[in-house]
Amino acid sequence: MTLAQAGLRELTPAVLAILVRRGADFAAAEDAVQDALVEALRVWPDDPPRDPKGWLITVAWRRFLDVARADAARRRREDLVDQEPPAGPATFTDDTLQLYFLCAHPSLTPASAVALTLRAVGGLTTRQIADAYLVPEATMAQRISRAKRTVAGVRLDRPGDVATVLRVLYLVFNEGYTGDVDLATEAIRLTRRLATAIDHPEVAGLLALMLLHHARRAARTAPDGSLVPLAEQDRDRWDTTMISEGVAILQTALSRDRLGEFQAQAAIAALHADAPTADETDWVQIVEWYDELVQLTGNPVARLNRAVAVGEADGAHAGLAALAELDATLPRHTAAAAYLHEKAGDHNQAAQMYAVAARQATNLAERDHLTRQAARLNARDSRPPDS
């Protein structure tokens, strides 16, 4: 991506939001902005504007009006011509924030909200989004078109739901890296932008959580692509600058005493990041934060992770007792049970459960890791006593 293309991506959501605020429906506004971006890439190298954002707004709005005039409702559309503002520097408004809310509208499915956010707020092309989600470009184009039609009549005159926006951004972050788009980095970029548009402790909490997780990325996989568990990661490969930023953002958010689920998750991640070695992890405090998280959300996955943390803090049998209170069909329940059985010294049971968990895994890297864990324990039990 060239520097000019990167700059255009940064301007895209604000320009789109301004067109929508002026009265353009979302689908038509998005098409007009894309036309303006193409024109910018053609014109700017030889004649760069003094006010790039204002230039894009003017060109996109005129393109929208050209299309609108050809519509059957000519009289209604021509009234919009009088609304065109005089030329001059574009003023800052909170339009980008409203665009976040629109793309995460509750009428959209999670998959559609993610795709529309990446397209409208992130400025990614349909091809890039399709490659990232390993689907044909035509399929992704249809998904985005349906999403645009769904929100076409949505008004932006009421506050949006921050929690919904954060869930969409977290979905993007958890996709990681596929195709030629680093979705984790993209999610961090979009969350940073959101944090500049709205002063909300949970936005800060999500940004801190993303940074703290992303800081461990280089150590998360071995050279052969295999998964490296947290306890076995080379902590010298963690990004300490990113960890420091995440911790600072989290501390500021927590000081406001408005705890939310992303702040609690970030606090847990910060405790892992703070430990010089896996053995020095403060598991007691991590259990306490999981207690807060469970109280906030009642999330069964949080309960599952809490059971593993209890096993670390109070012993494997205490962890297994906590795990026994949960639904055995939960994702990764079997894997957690295998780990705790191994920690309790029941290697035969652990090996069997690792094998079952591997068959249940939906992620190839996770499946391979669990298969290796089962093979490791089976090889250990098959060795002669004096080996």
Side-chain angles (χ1 to χ4, degrees), residues 16-17 19-20 23-32 99 102-103 116-117 119-121 144 147-154 156:
L16 176 56
L19 263 65
V20 172
D25 69 81
F26 186 90
E30 211 269 340
D31 289 340
L99 190 60
L102 184 63
C103 292
L116 194 59
T117 297
R119 170 72 171 172
V121 183
I144 293 172
K148 286 160 65 173
R149 288 196 299 269
T150 298
V151 301
V154 174
L156 292 178

Side-chain angles (χ1 to χ4, degrees), residues 73-152:
R74 174 180 293 271
R75 185 174 301 174
R76 161 69 179 87
R77 298 298 191 181
E78 287 184 344
D79 290 340
L80 296 173
V81 176
D82 297 332
Q83 299 175 19
E84 182 172 358
T91 57
F92 174 79
T93 64
D94 206 16
D95 296 303
T96 301
L97 176 59
Q98 295 298 328
L99 190 60
Y100 276 90
F101 292 140
L102 184 63
C103 292
H105 194 268
S107 62
L108 297 171
T109 65
S112 294
V114 166
L116 194 59
T117 297
L118 290 172
R119 170 72 171 172
V121 183
L124 300 184
T125 66
T126 302
R127 180 187 293 272
Q128 287 175 315
I129 302 169
D131 288 346
Y133 283 90
L134 305 177
V135 300
E137 184 176 357
T139 300
M140 184 56 68
Q142 291 175 355
R143 183 181 300 174
I144 293 172
S145 292
R146 285 195 299 268
K148 286 160 65 173
R149 288 196 299 269
T150 298
V151 301

Side-chain angles (χ1 to χ4, degrees), residues 128-199:
Q128 287 175 315
I129 302 169
D131 288 346
Y133 283 90
L134 305 177
V135 300
E137 184 176 357
T139 300
M140 184 56 68
Q142 291 175 355
R143 183 181 300 174
I144 293 172
S145 292
R146 285 195 299 268
K148 286 160 65 173
R149 288 196 299 269
T150 298
V151 301
V154 174
R155 295 178 61 85
L156 292 178
D157 57 353
R158 288 177 294 179
D161 181 11
V162 175
T164 302
V165 174
L166 297 183
R167 282 193 290 272
V168 169
L169 291 174
Y170 199 37
L171 283 173
V172 176
F173 179 78
N174 283 329
E175 287 298 325
Y177 178 85
T178 49
D180 65 345
V181 177
D182 187 336
L183 290 178
T185 299
E186 182 66 16
I188 291 172
R189 184 180 75 86
L190 295 178
T191 306
R192 282 190 191 279
R193 180 188 287 167
L194 180 62
T196 65
I198 182 171
D199 182 18

Side-chain angles (χ1 to χ4, degrees), residues 302-325:
R303 294 181 184 275
L304 180 71
N305 292 332
R306 178 189 177 279
V308 175
V310 168
E312 298 287 359
D314 300 329
H317 292 291
L320 286 167
L323 195 64
E325 299 175 1

Side-chain angles (χ1 to χ4, degrees), residues 235-371:
R235 299 183 180 222
D236 289 337
R237 300 185 66 195
W238 290 1
D239 187 330
T240 54
T241 300
M242 194 175 293
I243 289 172
S244 296
E245 182 187 4
V247 169
I249 292 171
L250 173 63
Q251 288 175 336
T252 300
L254 291 175
S255 69
R256 300 177 64 176
D257 199 24
R258 290 169 54 194
L259 184 64
E261 61 176 300
F262 289 115
Q263 294 169 75
Q265 290 186 61
I268 293 167
L271 286 167
H272 283 298
D274 187 54
T277 66
D279 290 339
E280 295 173 86
T281 303
D282 189 346
W283 286 105
V284 172
Q285 194 171 169
I286 287 176
V287 171
E288 292 174 353
W289 276 110
Y290 271 121
D291 288 340
E292 295 278 4
L293 184 59
V294 168
Q295 185 174 357
L296 284 166
T297 67
N299 189 303
V301 175
R303 294 181 184 275
L304 180 71
N305 292 332
R306 178 189 177 279
V308 175
V310 168
E312 298 287 359
D314 300 329
H317 292 291
L320 286 167
L323 195 64
E325 299 175 1
L326 306 179
D327 184 351
T329 64
L330 278 173
R332 297 188 174 89
H333 186 284
T334 307
Y339 173 77
L340 291 171
H341 275 289
E342 180 183 358
K343 189 174 179 65
D346 190 350
H347 296 152
N348 183 55
Q349 178 70 10
Q352 294 179 38
M353 299 191 83
Y354 276 131
V356 172
R359 292 194 294 271
Q360 295 172 341
T362 56
N363 177 283
L364 181 59
E366 186 177 340
R367 185 184 310 149
D368 289 345
H369 169 71
L370 293 168
T371 299

